[in-house]
Amino acid sequence: MPLDELRDMLERHVRLDLTTAVEGVRVCQIDHSAPPVSSMSGKVLAVIARGGKRLALGDQVYEYGPGQYLVASVDLPVTGHVINATPGSPTLGFGMTLDPATIAELLLHAGPGDLPRSPSTARPGIVVSDAPDDLLDAIVRLLRLLDRPQDRRTLAPLFKREILWRLMTGEQGDVVRQIGLADSSLSHIARAIQWIRENYTRPFRVDEVAQRSGMSVSAFHRNFQAVTAMSPIQFQKHIRLQTARLLLANSPNEITRVAHRVGYDSPSQFSREYRRLFGAPPSIDALRIRAGSEIAGAALP
């Protein structure tokens, strides 16, 4: 069974830093439950081979387990943690960065009728589905290259393309195909997301960002909410607080300075919103991170 071999491959090739010898491919093994980790998702495919993972984006919660995959089609502020993990049966996960240029190339090479028509409206930025055997087979063949360095340079790009094709033609294909379309609703929202991330410390008007993304205000609101599960202002708040958390891990006694640095005028408002998102005041949360009670790293895979 592809899932059984996937578990074996992941167990053999896991590293502490999650990286592998194949660029853009990560392997995750966690043998205990841990507090949620907040990070940016990146554009990524994540597959669970054993155990499970729970991911929160705004008010939306996604849970996926053995034989299921998650796709994040844009870079989103997420909070995730493993579930059903024990030392004797750790959670095992595979992750692969989704390359928009390769998806666009596959779209150009597809013949008439090879792909269904993509919807004009934006889909959620995160989706979960059961992984079909042909997708798992392609992932296993990619991971086998970790044992075959002489084949890696030539075959890894081919197997990655096959994985992308299986995604593009699968249950969540419309979400993945939009990553490669320069004028899709997702691409317009992705431009807005990038601008907010680059300017997260400054106040902005929604109509300003809508104009930058090439959409009317009403269409922008509708599509932004569909992709990110939050409003543009809520999205900015998440970026500010996640950045603050990283800064406070190194400077736990400089809460006021960090609050101002990420764009807050009021330290008390900063502390309230920080506690609401991370479950503890900034001073306590920063000490908890420095003490090692939370695992640093990405929420995905």
Side-chain angles (χ1 to χ4, degrees), residues 45-83:
L45 161 69
V47 181
I48 292 294
R50 185 170 62 212
K53 201 146 197 179
R54 187 174 293 127
L55 199 74
L57 170 66
D59 295 331
Q60 299 292 317
V61 177
Y62 302 88
E63 189 171 307
Y64 58 119
Q68 294 185 307
Y69 70 90
L70 176 147
V71 167
S73 58
V74 286
D75 199 14
L76 296 168
V78 295
T79 301
H81 66 282
V82 299
I83 54 177

Side-chain angles (χ1 to χ4, degrees), residues 110-178:
D114 289 348
L115 295 168
R117 185 179 180 87
S118 294
S120 58
T121 56
R123 287 285 311 282
I126 290 178
V127 291
V128 172
S129 279
D130 293 333
D133 283 350
D134 54 7
L135 174 60
L136 296 177
D137 280 335
I139 293 171
V140 166
R141 278 184 273 115
L142 177 64
L143 291 173
R144 285 176 187 158
L145 296 178
L146 297 175
D147 297 320
R148 301 170 185 170
Q150 72 277 10
D151 298 334
R152 200 178 297 148
R153 183 186 299 272
T154 301
L155 295 182
L158 301 180
F159 294 155
K160 286 182 178 179
R161 287 168 66 90
E162 180 182 356
I163 291 169
L164 291 175
W165 181 255
R166 299 302 179 193
L167 292 173
M168 292 166 61
T169 57
E171 186 176 4
Q172 303 295 346
D174 54 339
V175 173
V176 179
R177 292 192 299 273
Q178 285 202 23

Side-chain angles (χ1 to χ4, degrees), residues 1-296:
M1 295 290 290
L3 191 58
D4 293 332
E5 186 171 359
L6 178 60
R7 291 190 193 101
D8 293 340
M9 298 295 294
L10 295 176
E11 284 183 323
R12 286 202 296 113
H13 292 288
V14 67
R15 296 177 178 174
L16 289 177
D17 64 358
L18 311 184
T19 63
T20 69
V22 177
E23 184 179 358
V25 171
R26 293 159 61 94
V27 171
C28 171
Q29 176 176 286
I30 300 178
D31 62 6
H32 62 283
S33 297
V37 174
S38 297
S39 70
M40 298 303 295
S41 66
K43 297 183 181 75
V44 68
L45 161 69
V47 181
I48 292 294
R50 185 170 62 212
K53 201 146 197 179
R54 187 174 293 127
L55 199 74
L57 170 66
D59 295 331
Q60 299 292 317
V61 177
Y62 302 88
E63 189 171 307
Y64 58 119
Q68 294 185 307
Y69 70 90
L70 176 147
V71 167
S73 58
V74 286
D75 199 14
L76 296 168
V78 295
T79 301
H81 66 282
V82 299
I83 54 177
N84 305 325
T86 66
S89 183
T91 289
L92 291 169
F94 163 89
M96 189 182 87
T97 301
L98 302 177
D99 179 39
T102 304
I103 295 172
E105 184 182 351
L106 289 169
L107 287 170
L108 287 173
H109 288 169
D114 289 348
L115 295 168
R117 185 179 180 87
S118 294
S120 58
T121 56
R123 287 285 311 282
I126 290 178
V127 291
V128 172
S129 279
D130 293 333
D133 283 350
D134 54 7
L135 174 60
L136 296 177
D137 280 335
I139 293 171
V140 166
R141 278 184 273 115
L142 177 64
L143 291 173
R144 285 176 187 158
L145 296 178
L146 297 175
D147 297 320
R148 301 170 185 170
Q150 72 277 10
D151 298 334
R152 200 178 297 148
R153 183 186 299 272
T154 301
L155 295 182
L158 301 180
F159 294 155
K160 286 182 178 179
R161 287 168 66 90
E162 180 182 356
I163 291 169
L164 291 175
W165 181 255
R166 299 302 179 193
L167 292 173
M168 292 166 61
T169 57
E171 186 176 4
Q172 303 295 346
D174 54 339
V175 173
V176 179
R177 292 192 299 273
Q178 285 202 23
I179 299 173
L181 295 172
D183 200 39
S184 67
S185 297
L186 179 66
S187 296
H188 288 289
I189 297 303
R191 288 199 291 271
I193 286 172
Q194 182 177 354
W195 187 88
I196 294 172
R197 288 194 62 195
E198 292 172 353
N199 298 274
Y200 68 90
T201 61
R202 55 162 283 193
F204 63 82
R205 299 194 319 272
V206 172
D207 61 336
E208 172 190 7
V209 186
Q211 184 177 22
R212 288 179 177 275
S213 65
M215 305 179 90
S216 68
V217 174
S218 60
F220 175 71
H221 262 297
R222 183 173 63 253
N223 284 281
F224 196 96
Q225 182 76 34
V227 171
T228 68
M230 60 187 85
S231 71
I233 300 302
Q234 289 172 322
F235 185 90
Q236 180 194 44
K237 184 188 301 183
H238 275 70
I239 299 299
R240 285 179 169 181
L241 293 173
Q242 284 194 0
T243 303
R245 199 181 199 209
L246 292 175
L247 295 171
L248 286 170
N250 295 319
S251 306
N253 298 318
E254 299 184 15
I255 295 172
T256 299
R257 185 184 68 83
V258 168
H260 288 305
R261 182 171 173 181
V262 299
Y264 279 87
D265 293 326
S266 167
S268 60
Q269 181 188 2
F270 168 72
S271 294
R272 285 196 306 273
E273 294 183 351
Y274 189 103
R275 180 171 188 165
R276 192 176 301 128
L277 182 61
F278 298 120
S283 56
I284 294 175
D285 186 56
L287 293 174
R288 186 170 63 188
I289 295 172
R290 288 172 66 87
S293 62
E294 290 206 18
I295 296 177

